[in-house]
Amino acid sequence: MPILMAYPGARLLGLTKYGLDPVTIEQTQHFRLIREFCLDPATFVETMMEE
């Protein structure tokens, strides 16, 4: 999914309590999870297994 979100000209919308609002790829949960995993895979997996 994150690869499609990075497509040039893609319009990303985030669901808020007020409806749909434009967001950047960096504001998406997908992006944040992938970034955390890439920065430190072992700690990421360990943390996810604890939850």
Side-chain angles (χ1 to χ4, degrees), residues 37-48:
F37 174 79
C38 290
L39 290 174
D40 189 354
T43 301
F44 179 86
V45 171
E46 184 179 313
T47 302
M48 290 296 120

Side-chain angles (χ1 to χ4, degrees), residues 5 12 23-33:
M5 292 189 299
L12 303 177
V23 295
T24 65
I25 191 169
E26 294 84 3
Q27 293 171 314
T28 66
Q29 183 68 18
H30 289 294
F31 180 87
R32 285 181 263 159
L33 286 172

Side-chain angles (χ1 to χ4, degrees), residues 1-10 12 25:
M1 185 76 87
I3 292 173
L4 291 177
M5 292 189 299
Y7 189 80
L12 303 177
I25 191 169

Side-chain angles (χ1 to χ4, degrees), residues 3-23:
I3 292 173
L4 291 177
M5 292 189 299
Y7 189 80
R11 183 171 171 219
L12 303 177
L13 300 172
L15 184 60
T16 68
K17 63 181 180 181
Y18 303 110
L20 296 174
D21 290 322
V23 295

